[in-house]
């Protein structure tokens, strides 16, 4: 795959098959992601990989937490849509509508929601932290690392999704993964191979450049 193919064919996968990702491949993907730039080469990230029995435990705890409506404990709180700037709210609205049109029926939306509760049936989840004692720039750097990771995965035929759902219950995750109190768990990226579910073919819209590029000659 050339770079254009990698970047345009990556999309969030919400239904993974049970096929595991080989350890060598994971190492390759993380090695490539580690080329991401960061402030003064600070490389502020730590990566916790959950698979096998540990991930099964995490999934069971997540399903239970969802069922009993446990209070969420993310490091970065989500912001209610009404507080977002108009143009961003409109982009989110357009995506929701396009997804609704794509799935066609409420039944498929139920599957979409169930996929979240099941942590997308992913065989591997990467949990990413930065030090609690970090500047905002480390968050920026972690974003660069995350995108490098998803593209490196795609280049090796491995699908992914970055999802809030994965790190909603940070308190229990930190305990299971033995993440020290000195680190903030920021993001989760699920890796694996897409199954044949139609929702995996959904492609989210992008606005034209004219709406966000401001050129001054
Ligand atoms: C920080 C972040 C959090 C996200 N959280 C979720 C989530 O909880 N559930 C979900 O289905 N998708 C989640 N997504 C995926 C986005 O919906 C998706 O990236 C966006 O719609 C663009 O689609 P694409 O990734 O297929 O290009 C998240 C993406 C990001 C970057």
């Amino acid at each position: 795959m050339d770079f254009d193919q990698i970047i345009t064919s990556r999309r969030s996968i919400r239904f993974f098959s049970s096929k595991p990702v080989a350890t060598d491949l994971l190492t390759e993907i993380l090695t490539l992601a580690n080329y991401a730039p960061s402030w003064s080469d600070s490389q502020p990230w730590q990566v916790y990989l959950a698979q096998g029995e540990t991930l099964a435990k995490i999934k069971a705890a997540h399903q239970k937490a969802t069922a009993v409506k446990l209070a969420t404990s993310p490091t970065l709180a989500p912001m209610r849509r009404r507080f977002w700037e108009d143009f961003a709210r409109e982009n989110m609205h357009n995506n929701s509508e396009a997804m609704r049109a794509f799935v066609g029926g409420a039944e498929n939306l139920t599957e979409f929601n169930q996929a979240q509760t099941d942590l997308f049936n992913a065989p591997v989840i990467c949990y990413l932290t930065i030090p609690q004692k970090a500047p905002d720039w480390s968050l920026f750097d972690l974003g660069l690392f995350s995108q490098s990771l998803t593209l490196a995965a795609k280049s090796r035929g491995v699908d992914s999704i970055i999802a809030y759902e994965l790190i909603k219950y940070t308190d229990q995750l930190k305990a299971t993964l033995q993440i020290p109190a000195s680190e903030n768990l920021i993001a989760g990226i699920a890796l694996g191979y897409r199954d044949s579910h139609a929702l995996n073919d959904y492609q989210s819209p992008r606005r034209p450049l004219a709406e966000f590029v401001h050129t001054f000659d």
Side-chain angles (χ1 to χ4, degrees):
M1 262 199 271
D2 69 17
F3 186 71
D4 286 14
Q5 276 176 311
I6 293 167
I7 203 159
T8 56
S9 65
R10 183 221 53 86
R11 66 185 59 147
S12 295
I13 289 304
R14 298 181 172 88
F15 299 87
F16 288 95
S17 74
S18 47
K19 185 179 168 186
V21 182
T23 304
D24 288 1
L25 208 48
L26 282 173
T27 305
E28 235 175 276
I29 291 166
L30 289 164
T31 303
L32 290 173
N34 203 26
Y35 280 87
S38 59
W39 183 284
S40 285
D41 203 24
S42 50
Q43 305 169 66
W45 44 79
Q46 298 286 329
V47 179
Y48 295 80
L49 280 183
Q51 46 192 4
E53 275 177 32
T54 301
L55 185 53
K57 195 173 149 191
I58 287 172
K59 284 178 180 169
H62 187 86
Q63 283 163 343
K64 192 168 167 201
T66 307
V68 302
K69 295 189 167 48
L70 183 73
T72 55
S73 52
T75 306
L76 303 180
M79 185 165 82
R80 288 190 184 280
R81 279 207 186 176
R82 66 173 182 278
F83 297 126
W84 287 68
E85 200 55 69
D86 286 351
F87 78 89
R89 214 170 52 231
E90 193 182 322
N91 289 337
M92 290 188 277
H93 173 76
N94 291 343
N95 184 46
S96 306
E97 288 303 300
M99 162 88 71
R100 212 176 289 275
F102 185 86
V103 302
E107 193 182 297
N108 282 337
L109 266 187
T110 310
E111 286 182 22
F112 176 92
N113 292 333
Q114 187 60 44
Q116 312 277 326
T117 307
D118 295 342
L119 300 184
F120 315 106
N121 192 39
V124 186
I125 300 180
C126 310
Y127 294 96
L128 310 180
T129 74
I130 55 172
Q132 216 167 40
K133 238 174 53 185
D136 290 348
W137 285 108
S138 294
L139 275 180
F140 184 95
D141 296 341
L142 195 69
L144 297 170
F145 181 82
S146 301
Q147 173 70 334
S148 295
L149 199 158
T150 64
L151 295 181
K154 189 71 214 173
S155 80
R156 297 299 190 266
V158 174
D159 294 305
S160 63
I161 183 169
I162 300 173
Y164 167 73
E165 185 73 27
L166 300 169
I167 40 82
K168 249 161 96 169
Y169 302 111
T170 292
D171 288 348
Q172 58 189 39
L173 283 168
K174 283 187 84 167
T176 307
L177 297 167
Q178 298 174 31
I179 297 174
S182 57
E183 288 173 35
N184 276 342
L185 174 54
I186 303 293
I189 305 181
L191 297 176
Y193 298 93
R194 66 176 69 193
D195 80 4
S196 58
H197 198 288
L199 268 174
N200 281 338
D201 295 330
Y202 171 71
Q203 185 142 29
S204 52
R206 293 296 190 271
R207 64 196 162 143
L209 263 59
E211 286 187 24
F212 66 94
V213 178
H214 310 271
T215 305
F216 297 87
D217 287 324

